[in-house]
């Protein structure tokens, strides 16, 4: 076997060693939510609706944690790549203080304002709002643990430790999946039992990640300047995320104006899109860690080679998804709806959904490359431009011209194409490949 083949095989093993455990961690929370929903669903319509309302708030909190984790992975990976493991772990310490502070604010805020928030989301008072407020106040007690766990995922991925995050996320989620039905039914807590199980799992997970920091034997003292740098990085990713949220909410709003069948079909396709995005995120997380480490070690050429490898892997994964989705066109929509009009509308979006998969595979991979490189300002600006200059005008034009669901998904495809073109240009320029333990 040639030296190039050996190197390629080693790189593939490193990517798999990071991506596969990350995929399991990413999938653990959605799978637990499905279990939770199934358990609560048997309590009746009101508890299920209350879980949907309260769960929306905690999903947003989890999203904040994901933003923090993505930011800290690249920073910790740079330190680790430069040979300074202690400094990489120190990034985790400061991120954990930041996560704990935000988590405590969420927990206290929900005790004080959970009722008002639940009434707002539920469209007024009533049984659903009251039950949602109760669930939210209890579940929010797990917010500090949830966010500390997110920060822990970030710094451990940065030092390329994939074993502990897997254990620290899976074990509490499995415990909660067992605890939830016991508290809801035999213990007689009902909907509150679901919230207790959520909070317990998140607190345990956060505690495990915090204990891992303590075992590293580094200073646990807060360093405001380092926290400020992390906030700047998280701010760019947060703004980028808000642009995504605004775009997808607008798409749903336009789909709703085309009727119940159109919005139902849009929801099916969109949730499947989010599922494929979840799978591709595992590849992006591996890119964050390996690119950050390469740049931290001063290896710009190696980072660029890795970036090309990730782009190729993203394309391959995207093509594989496209083939599977195309093959399931006549079957998959029927899993989600028995309404023939909904299935017919899904077929309108389906060709666009299939066609964008290879493009999206490259986009997600290169997103991970630039996040790992700390090039988040470029990503932020690109997402805003693609949303305001492409996606949002296209979907509202689809509404104005009565183009239906096909127009909406054409707008989403345009969004992906704009981002792909700009990311490829950025990759070719090499301006993202700034070496050093810290990106200046």
């Amino acid at each position: 076997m040639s030296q190039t083949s050996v190197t390629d095989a080693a790189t593939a093993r490193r990517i798999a060693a990071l991506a596969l455990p990350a995929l399991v961690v990413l999938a653990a929370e959605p799978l637990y939510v499905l279990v939770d929903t199934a358990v609560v669903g048997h309590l009746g319509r009101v508890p299920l609706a209350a879980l949907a309302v309260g769960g929306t708030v905690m999903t947003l909190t989890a999203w904040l944690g994901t933003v923090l984790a993505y930011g800290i992975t690249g920073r910790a990976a740079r330190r680790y790549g430069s040979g300074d493991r202690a400094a990489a772990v120190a990034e985790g310490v400061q991120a954990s203080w930041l996560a704990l502070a935000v988590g405590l604010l969420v927990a206290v805020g929900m005790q004080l304002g959970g009722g008002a928030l639940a009434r707002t989301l539920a469209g007024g008072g009533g049984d659903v709002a009251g039950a949602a407020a109760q669930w939210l106040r209890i579940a929010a007690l797990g917010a500090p643990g949830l966010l500390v766990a997110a920060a822990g995922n970030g710094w451990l991925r940065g030092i390329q430790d994939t074993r502990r995050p897997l254990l620290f996320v899976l074990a509490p989620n499995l415990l909660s999946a067992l605890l939830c039905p016991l508290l809801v039914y035999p213990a007689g807590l009902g909907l509150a039992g679901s919230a207790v199980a959520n909070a317990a799992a998140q607190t345990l997970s956060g505690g495990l990640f915090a204990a891992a920091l303590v075992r590293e034997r580094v200073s646990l003292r807060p360093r405001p300047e380092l926290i400020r740098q992390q906030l700047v990085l998280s701010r760019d990713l947060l703004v980028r995320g808000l642009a995504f949220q605004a775009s997808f909410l607008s798409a749903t709003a336009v789909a709703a104006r085309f009727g119940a069948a159109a919005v139902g079909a849009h929801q099916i396709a969109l949730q499947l899109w989010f599922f494929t995005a979840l799978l591709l995120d595992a590849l992006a997380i591996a890119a964050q860690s390996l690119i950050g480490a390469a740049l931290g070690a001063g290896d710009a050429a190696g980072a660029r080679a890795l970036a090309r490898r990730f782009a190729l892997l993203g394309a391959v994964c995207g093509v594989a998804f496209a083939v599977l989705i195309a093959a399931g066109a006549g079957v998959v929509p029927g899993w989600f709806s028995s309404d023939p009009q909904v299935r017919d509308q899904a077929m309108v979006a389906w060709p666009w959904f299939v066609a964008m998969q290879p493009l999206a595979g490259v986009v997600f991979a290169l997103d991970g490359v630039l996040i790992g490189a700390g090039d988040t300002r470029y990503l932020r600006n690109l997402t805003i431009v693609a949303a305001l200059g492409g996606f949002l005008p296209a979907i509202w034009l689809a509404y104005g011209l009565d183009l239906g669901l096909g127009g909406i998904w054409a707008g989403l495809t345009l969004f992906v194409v704009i981002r792909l073109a700009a990311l490829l240009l950025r990759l070719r320029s090499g301006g993202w490949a700034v070496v050093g333990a810290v990106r200046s």
Side-chain angles (χ1 to χ4, degrees):
M1 182 181 291
S2 68
Q3 182 62 42
T4 300
S5 299
V6 172
T7 302
D8 288 347
T11 301
R13 285 195 297 271
R14 290 168 66 204
I15 292 171
L18 288 166
L20 294 178
L23 178 58
V24 176
V25 170
L26 287 168
E29 183 67 21
L31 288 174
Y32 170 70
V33 170
L34 286 176
V35 172
D36 197 21
T37 302
V39 171
V40 171
H42 290 287
L43 289 173
R45 185 182 303 169
V46 169
L48 185 58
L51 178 64
V53 171
T56 299
V57 178
M58 294 309 295
T59 298
L60 180 60
T61 304
W63 173 63
L64 291 174
T66 300
V67 169
L68 177 63
Y70 282 5
I72 197 61
T73 295
R75 287 182 62 90
R78 276 183 175 269
R79 303 280 195 182
Y80 180 74
S82 72
D84 194 346
R85 178 191 167 94
V89 177
E91 292 281 353
V93 171
Q94 304 313 311
S96 297
W97 279 117
L98 177 58
L100 180 61
V102 175
L104 288 172
L105 284 174
V106 171
V108 172
M110 289 305 103
Q111 307 313 308
L112 300 176
L117 182 57
R119 287 191 295 274
T120 300
L121 293 174
D127 292 342
V128 171
Q134 180 196 32
W135 186 93
L136 193 52
R137 289 190 184 102
I138 298 171
L141 297 176
L146 172 66
L147 293 176
V148 169
N153 268 299
W155 70 266
L156 280 168
R157 288 168 183 162
I159 64 170
Q160 300 185 22
D161 182 341
T162 57
R163 184 180 62 85
R164 285 186 288 177
L166 194 62
L167 294 174
F168 295 170
V169 170
L170 274 184
N173 272 281
L174 287 173
L175 175 63
S176 190
L178 295 173
L179 194 59
C180 181
L182 293 175
L183 293 176
V184 170
Y185 294 108
L189 295 181
L191 181 62
S194 160
V196 171
N198 268 271
Q202 289 159 0
T203 301
L204 174 59
S205 184
L208 290 171
F209 280 104
L213 274 179
V214 172
R215 285 195 295 272
E216 293 286 339
R217 300 187 182 279
V218 299
S219 171
L220 301 179
R221 179 176 57 85
R223 294 169 56 187
E225 178 56 28
L226 199 53
I227 291 174
R228 186 194 65 78
Q229 293 172 13
Q230 293 178 354
L231 276 171
V232 170
L233 185 64
S234 297
R235 178 199 63 197
D236 290 338
L237 293 173
L238 182 62
V239 171
R240 174 175 175 267
L242 290 173
F244 280 122
Q245 298 292 331
S247 297
F248 288 116
L249 284 173
S250 291
T252 301
V254 172
R257 285 162 170 77
F258 290 127
V263 75
H266 175 70
Q267 179 68 4
I268 291 170
L270 191 63
Q271 290 308 311
L272 289 170
W273 159 259
F274 287 153
F275 178 72
T276 60
L278 176 73
L279 298 177
L280 290 168
D281 261 349
L283 187 61
I285 286 169
Q288 292 167 26
S289 180
L290 293 176
I291 293 293
L295 293 174
D299 186 6
R304 286 193 287 269
L306 272 172
R308 291 190 292 271
R309 171 66 65 85
F310 276 110
L312 179 60
L313 284 172
V316 170
C317 290
V319 169
F321 290 153
V323 170
L324 290 173
I325 293 164
V331 179
V332 175
W335 295 349
F336 298 90
S337 176
S338 58
D339 188 321
Q341 291 187 359
V342 172
R343 294 200 300 270
D344 288 346
Q345 283 292 310
M347 288 302 96
V348 174
W350 218 258
W352 297 103
F353 183 29
V354 172
M356 76 170 73
Q357 290 302 311
L359 312 180
V362 179
V363 166
F364 277 95
L366 293 183
D367 278 349
V369 167
L370 295 194
I371 291 172
D375 200 13
T376 54
R377 184 178 300 174
Y378 182 83
L379 281 176
R380 178 200 67 192
N381 294 339
L382 168 58
T383 305
I384 292 171
V385 169
L388 297 182
F391 194 11
L392 290 173
I395 58 177
W396 286 104
L397 185 64
Y399 172 61
L401 298 179
D402 198 25
L403 299 178
L405 204 55
I408 294 173
W409 279 78
L412 177 55
T413 304
L414 177 62
F415 183 56
V416 171
V417 168
I418 292 172
R419 291 169 60 209
L420 175 62
L423 286 167
L424 289 174
L425 286 172
R426 186 64 169 171
L427 182 67
R428 184 176 181 181
S429 75
W432 56 274
V434 178
V435 299
V438 180
R439 183 185 176 94
S440 58

